[in-house]
Amino acid sequence: MMQAMIFAAGLGTRLKPLTDTMPKALVSVGGEPLLRRVIHNLSVAGVDRIVVNVHHFAQQIIDYLKENDNFGLDIRISDESAGLLETGGGIKHAAPLFAPDAPILIHNVDILSNVDLRHFYQRAGGLLKTDGLASATADAPDALVGAAADAPDALVGAAADVPDALLLVSQRKTQRYLLFDDTMRLVGWTNIATGEVKTPYPDLDPKACRMYAFAGIHALSPRMIPLMNQFPDRFSIIDFYLQTCATHRIEGFAKDDLQLMDIGKLDTLAQAEEFLVKVKSPSQPSPSGRA
């Protein structure tokens, strides 16, 4: 099976005044709510189960999904009405809703992109050493990668360094960057404006690292979930990755032709429709439902 989580609990403060009366997830872009767009793309990718976390105007999201019969998918609600848990805490809180034997594809609700989510999930299939998809197939032709999803477990032996998480990253300009070594293994984080560095490696030189911005899409092995018990109820997933990257393989994936937009501000809403014209959606039909 394929499973995913949509981060939809945020307050959407940068989209005020729209989010004074609705959750960010239901803000319309190109005539459709952001939530519906992400659900559609996950469905086309083959995702069977989706967990949606909710907080701000939570009932509106619950009602929207109910009105649309969950778009024919197994959609489960992780309720954070009592308090926002941030990205890491949100995954920890939602853990009982996931299957224990498949990677979890995590997608911010306000991200539009040209990423082939199925291929990204298949690339992250090496997260599980027993799921029949070795990371060695990551650069193989699509037909081979697709076939590998149903291949015998013996093929997994070809994977030498199986990652525990895969992070989509980009070269967009920002002040905060993830730091990777030459094999694209996560080794730290830096804020180039302040010079702050977070890393488990005391002698790490950020200038000697590959620097990429996090793109809001990642895949996590369920083997990593128990490690979250050592963390408080509320924490950042990036902090979690930084604190575990010395003992677990957290990898970055930089898509060469990545086109991505973060619908985080009102001015980006005006640009979003033009962006959607440039980024062709998957050819399969959209889940039926009301916008």
Side-chain angles (χ1 to χ4, degrees), residues 226-238:
L227 298 179
M228 294 183 175
N229 293 330
Q230 305 168 24
F231 286 72
D233 290 340
R234 181 179 179 182
F235 63 95
S236 161
I237 190 60
I238 294 299

Side-chain angles (χ1 to χ4, degrees), residues 36-65:
R36 184 184 178 188
R37 288 193 175 278
V38 177
I39 290 174
H40 162 57
N41 291 337
L42 290 172
S43 175
V44 167
V47 171
D48 310 288
R49 178 182 300 176
I50 301 174
V51 174
V52 180
N53 70 338
V54 296
H55 172 80
H56 185 57
F57 291 110
Q59 194 59 46
Q60 286 191 32
I61 294 177
I62 294 170
D63 291 344
Y64 175 75
L65 292 170

Side-chain angles (χ1 to χ4, degrees), residues 3 19 21 27 53 100 102 120 146 157 183 197 200 214 216 231 238 263 286:
Q3 58 184 346
T19 48
T21 56
V27 170
N53 70 338
F120 182 78
T183 69
V197 175
F214 180 50
F231 286 72
I238 294 299
I263 310 298
S286 171

Side-chain angles (χ1 to χ4, degrees), residues 3 46-47 64-65 86 143 150 153 157 161 163 167 179 191 209 247 286:
Q3 58 184 346
V47 171
Y64 175 75
L65 292 170
E86 296 190 35
D150 300 314
D153 288 351
D161 294 307
L167 285 57
L179 305 174
N191 184 322
C209 300
T247 54
S286 171

